[in-house]
Amino acid sequence: MKNLMTLNTKRGFAFALACLFIGQVELKAQDKAPMMVPETEDDFYKIISLPVPEDVILEVGGMATLPDGSLAICTRRGEVWIVSNPNISGSDKPVYKKFASGLHEPLGLAYHDGDIYVTQRSELTRLRDTDGDGQADIYKKIYSWPLSGNYHEYSYGPTFLPNGNMLVTLNVGWSNSLGHGVSLVPWRGWTLEITPDGEMIPFAAGMRSPAGYGMNAEGDFFYTENQGDWVGSGRISHVEKGDFVGNAESLAWSDLPGSPVKLRKEDIPNTGEPFYDVAKRVPGLKAPAIWLPHGIMGISTSGFLNDNTSGGFGPFANQVFVGDQGQSNIARVDFEKIDGVYQGVVFPFREGFSSGILRMVWGNDASMFVGMTSRGWSSTGKELFSLQRLVWTGRMPFEMQTIKSKPDGFEIEFTEPVNKELAEDPANYQVTGFTYKYQAAYGSPVINNESCKIIGVVVSEDGMKARLVVDNLRLGYIHEIKAEGVKSTEGKPLLHNVGYYTLNNFGAGDKVDVAQFKARHDHEMMMKAQADSVAKAQADAEAKTLAAAAKKQAAASKPATPKMAKHVTSMPANWDGKADVTINMGTKPGLKFDPAQVQVKAGSKVKLVFQNVDDMLHNFVIVMPGTAIEVGEAAMALGLEGQQKDYIPNTSKVLVHTKLLQPSESNTIYFIAPTEPGEYTYVCTVPGHFYTMQGILKVVK
């Protein structure tokens, strides 16, 4: 036995030397081979900025493509511009001509039968050029609705229905004193159907901020929603006449004549349960089709655009693109309808736009025009407004083209064939289920998040599909599906390796026979046990070495001076009931702190009262000089745990912080100012906010 062990040891040593030699040869070969440059979004979809004349403030509120390829654009300043030749390139410039002016912050525009329709704050208006001079000479009111004067009473649309009627969507107002949305006048928080003759028909209720709207490939109407009260995260809802989609403030008007919605505000439980569960027992409450995880897929959901280019924009025909105003990016959505109910998946698609995206339309060359605005609604893109064009380069990105629900899991379809060996390995995927609270409070952290075991994977013969058999799937939940280890047959990683599937119903079809996975599982477990045994022995040896070194170092070092915690909400006892300085910190519209700069003495005892008077979530975080973006990006990388952790990453760059505050909420903290003079940054680390919501804590001697 001893001789056999010696022989095995020698063989193992020889094998290790051989592997080392082969590895060195491979490394040398790799040194000579050209390195593969990672592909980026820009390799497949180019962003082209359109020049805007200096005297034109193009804060885009709505856009439409005219028959000749020109763009009609309404702005928040109350103007309508016609942009001719928008798809030219090189040194040529598009031509801008003012078509109309004097409107009240129009946030939607449509072209129909030779006329332009705009939705102002309180009116749906038809603009007509009767003499052909390129300027509107008739401003015709189609229908108007009341205003209270509340700043948050935005209005959007119209969307034309097949019968020629139009749909407009109306924001609720906002109360800083109450800290939530309010419907102060009739129909705020509703979708209204309006005939060309000016008859209004109440259509659906429950909207909070319905900034995005449109039809999918099947001709069904959807709207996009922003996180807020009764809205745990961004979402997309299929809207039919008589639906109530969640925001209870709109139900103040459900008893008015013509209302197809009969629910009252008191019918809606404010329990913090998942939306889907509440909808099952409240007839008339409709759960969303798709959730967009907050801070991950955006923070301010906006435009809705169906891909009707028949492949002219790439491999995503009949899918939907959704813009985000706060994070200046576009997501990609694919719906499926199961048992009459919509659900589906959302993927990242394209980031890097220069301002906050509000509208997207197709050009006559299958490129996408993106209209943006930022004033008062700060965005990742730094420009106050912008008009850009997104063009497919013709190259095929390696992506998850879609994900479909199956009775026992999901099926991923790819744009290119996958490496079957990698795609069949369950270790190369990760599935996590989670949801949000349905509550009157603003937003929601992720709740009930649990990992879902992947029992096995079946890859199609052509390598274009991977069927995941998954345990612990829950109806009404969002499922994060990662495929980080999957590569194409050419060795390319996925351009985006994650999708978020909202599961309202299980897909139809046969379940996979899981017996085929047992033999492979048993073999993998045996190999893993052997590897774990070796790893444990190595870890034990390393632990002993480290423990000895730590013991030696501890004996040689002096005891560390105790430091205050980073979030202290009671005055320390050794302060004798008094702080050296009290700072009252607030917020201003446009993602700003108020004041933007404060000064304290080094080492002073500071009491800071942070009052969030804004209409969205904020925190207050003091970080080391020059690290605000780094800390913010670390907060964004927290992913599903972000809001649960108040968007505070575990890093020494964070010095002091409050908790994450609801609108109208305050938090008092106590801390010792840094002893080193300098300019320290305070920042809101909520995803998308940290790029602009910053201030300076000046520490002096």
Side-chain angles (χ1 to χ4, degrees):
M1 178 66 72
K2 181 178 180 181
N3 291 337
L4 180 59
M5 290 178 64
T6 303
L7 179 62
N8 285 338
T9 302
K10 290 180 178 178
R11 286 177 176 172
F13 181 67
F15 178 72
L17 286 175
C19 289
L20 179 61
F21 174 76
I22 293 170
Q24 289 174 338
V25 172
E26 289 179 345
L27 283 172
K28 290 179 180 178
Q30 288 173 4
D31 288 342
K32 295 179 180 178
M35 292 186 64
M36 182 180 291
V37 179
E39 293 177 324
T40 67
E41 294 173 342
D42 193 57
D43 292 319
F44 306 98
Y45 290 92
K46 294 282 187 184
I47 297 176
I48 302 170
S49 295
L50 277 69
V52 179
E54 291 184 3
D55 60 343
V56 178
I57 303 175
L58 203 73
E59 296 177 337
V60 178
M63 290 201 303
T65 306
L66 304 182
D68 66 354
S70 299
L71 299 178
I73 300 176
C74 64
T75 76
R76 295 170 61 199
R77 304 277 176 153
E79 299 170 336
V80 176
W81 292 85
I82 305 299
V83 183
S84 303
N85 301 319
N87 56 355
I88 59 178
S89 59
S91 60
D92 293 330
K93 295 182 179 180
V95 177
Y96 290 74
K97 183 171 183 178
K98 188 183 294 184
F99 182 76
S101 60
L103 304 173
H104 189 182
E105 196 174 20
L107 291 177
L109 179 147
Y111 174 84
H112 186 71
D113 288 345
D115 292 324
I116 290 174
Y117 293 76
V118 294
T119 299
Q120 304 186 61
R121 280 224 171 206
S122 65
E123 180 182 302
L124 175 60
T125 309
R126 186 186 69 208
L127 304 175
R128 179 173 290 176
D129 175 14
T130 60
D131 57 11
D133 66 350
Q135 293 182 317
D137 42 50
I138 294 179
Y139 294 57
K140 170 68 175 178
K141 181 187 79 173
I142 304 299
Y143 183 78
S144 64
W145 46 86
L147 287 177
S148 73
N150 187 282
Y151 82 97
H152 206 251
E153 290 180 341
Y154 307 114
S155 303
Y156 312 97
T159 299
F160 274 87
L161 297 171
N163 63 5
N165 292 349
M166 295 161 276
L167 297 178
V168 298
T169 56
L170 310 181
N171 252 53
V172 294
W174 180 263
S175 170
N176 282 324
S177 60
L178 297 175
H180 61 72
V182 286
S183 186
L184 299 171
V185 290
W187 312 122
R188 280 287 150 192
W190 285 68
T191 295
L192 306 180
E193 182 177 355
I194 300 170
T195 71
D197 296 329
E199 178 188 358
M200 190 278 287
I201 306 159
F203 189 80
M207 290 76 188
R208 176 188 177 272
S209 185
Y213 48 86
M215 304 288 189
N216 69 345
E218 286 69 37
D220 290 326
F221 179 69
F222 291 80
Y223 94 101
T224 67
E225 183 64 274
N226 286 306
Q227 186 194 60
D229 42 317
W230 299 103
V231 188
S233 183
R235 64 194 189 205
I236 306 171
S237 292
H238 171 219
V239 185
E240 299 173 286
K241 187 172 183 179
D243 283 342
F244 170 66
V245 293
N247 192 289
E249 298 301 318
S250 63
L251 295 178
W253 317 109
S254 60
D255 59 350
L256 291 183
S259 168
V261 178
K262 302 307 177 186
L263 288 168
R264 302 299 300 271
K265 188 173 180 179
E266 54 267 27
D267 297 329
I268 310 304
N270 182 22
T271 57
E273 300 169 81
F275 194 125
Y276 180 90
D277 295 346
V278 177
K280 283 297 181 184
R281 66 174 191 270
V282 178
L285 174 60
K286 190 170 192 175
I290 289 179
W291 289 92
L292 287 78
H294 188 78
I296 300 173
M297 294 305 303
I299 60 171
S300 187
T301 317
S302 60
F304 181 101
L305 182 64
N306 175 59
D307 185 351
N308 59 7
T309 65
S310 302
F313 193 67
F316 309 118
N318 295 326
Q319 295 189 11
V320 168
F321 296 98
V322 175
D324 191 83
Q325 196 281 327
Q327 290 194 336
S328 304
N329 60 18
I330 295 176
R332 176 169 60 88
V333 168
D334 195 27
F335 295 105
E336 61 176 329
K337 200 173 188 179
I338 299 176
D339 296 335
V341 177
Y342 275 107
Q343 59 189 46
V345 63
V346 56
F347 302 99
F349 178 67
R350 189 62 165 96
E351 59 182 13
F353 291 90
S354 59
S355 189
I357 297 173
L358 199 62
R359 298 287 170 247
M360 305 102 73
V361 297
W362 295 115
N364 59 4
D365 62 349
S367 64
M368 182 192 295
F369 288 95
V370 183
M372 290 160 271
T373 179
S374 179
R375 175 178 55 90
W377 308 329
S378 291
S379 60
T380 299
K382 301 301 183 185
E383 301 296 327
L384 289 178
F385 56 85
S386 184
L387 179 61
Q388 293 182 305
R389 181 168 163 246
L390 190 62
V391 180
W392 180 41
T393 65
R395 292 182 58 189
M396 180 65 69
F398 179 46
E399 293 270 41
M400 290 186 278
Q401 184 172 43
T402 191
I403 299 176
K404 300 293 185 184
S405 173
K406 296 296 178 181
D408 52 1
F410 299 103
E411 185 170 73
I412 304 173
E413 298 179 14
F414 300 95
T415 57
E416 293 182 336
V418 295
N419 178 312
K420 289 188 179 181
E421 183 178 355
L422 293 175
E424 286 177 345
D425 186 353
N428 287 324
Y429 304 88
Q430 183 179 347
V431 179
T432 304
F434 64 97
T435 189
Y436 298 97
K437 295 179 180 181
Y438 177 53
Q439 59 182 2
Y442 195 104
S444 166
V446 165
I447 62 169
N448 303 342
N449 46 317
E450 297 178 6
S451 61
C452 303
K453 181 181 178 182
I454 301 173
I455 299 171
V457 183
V458 178
V459 178
S460 63
E461 285 298 319
D462 61 2
M464 298 297 287
K465 297 180 181 180
R467 176 83 176 264
L468 277 60
V469 180
V470 184
D471 197 11
N472 195 31
L473 297 180
R474 291 170 288 176
L475 290 178
Y477 279 65
I478 309 103
H479 293 82
E480 180 185 64
I481 303 169
K482 291 184 176 180
E484 294 176 331
V486 174
K487 293 185 178 181
S488 72
T489 53
E490 298 178 352
K492 294 188 297 185
L494 287 159
L495 185 62
H496 301 100
N497 58 31
V498 65
Y500 294 87
Y501 193 101
T502 301
L503 186 66
N504 290 327
N505 283 313
F506 291 110
D510 296 328
K511 294 184 177 182
V512 173
D513 181 4
V514 297
Q516 61 183 296
F517 305 127
K518 188 176 187 306
R520 178 172 178 171
H521 174 73
D522 291 345
H523 174 72
E524 289 174 348
M525 291 300 293
M526 180 184 70
M527 298 299 291
K528 183 177 183 301
Q530 292 176 350
D532 287 347
S533 177
V534 174
K536 184 178 186 304
Q538 292 175 338
D540 289 345
E542 291 175 1
K544 289 180 180 179
T545 302
L546 292 172
K551 185 176 180 180
K552 184 177 180 181
Q553 183 178 2
S557 63
K558 296 179 180 180
T561 302
K563 296 182 179 179
M564 288 185 65
K566 296 181 180 182
H567 182 217
V568 176
T569 57
S570 298
M571 183 177 289
N574 61 359
W575 285 21
D576 297 326
K578 184 180 179 181
D580 295 326
V581 62
T582 297
I583 299 172
N584 292 303
M585 181 64 60
T587 60
K588 292 198 299 187
L591 297 183
K592 295 178 182 178
F593 285 111
D594 182 22
Q597 180 171 318
V598 293
Q599 180 172 303
V600 297
K601 286 187 176 182
S604 59
K605 301 169 184 175
V606 182
K607 173 184 177 182
L608 184 139
V609 182
F610 180 41
Q611 178 76 33
N612 180 15
V613 297
D614 205 358
D615 57 2
M616 60 185 77
L617 300 172
H618 292 304
N619 62 17
F620 175 90
V621 185
I622 300 176
V623 299
M624 292 294 291
T627 65
I629 300 300
E630 177 187 344
V631 171
E633 290 176 345
M636 191 158 60
L638 292 172
L640 299 180
E641 297 181 334
Q643 193 159 335
Q644 292 173 321
K645 294 184 175 181
D646 293 326
Y647 294 115
I648 305 297
N650 183 17
T651 170
S652 60
K653 306 292 176 59
V654 172
L655 303 179
V656 176
H657 65 86
T658 67
K659 68 174 186 175
L660 185 65
L661 299 186
Q662 291 275 331
S664 301
E665 191 177 9
S666 67
N667 189 203
T668 299
I669 59 173
Y670 301 85
F671 61 93
I672 301 294
T675 55
E676 185 69 26
E679 292 190 350
Y680 295 77
T681 306
Y682 47 89
V683 57
C684 173
T685 58
V686 171
H689 294 193
F690 58 85
Y691 290 105
T692 56
M693 193 168 180
Q694 299 180 20
I696 297 297
L697 176 71
K698 189 171 184 179
V699 177
V700 298
K701 290 184 179 180

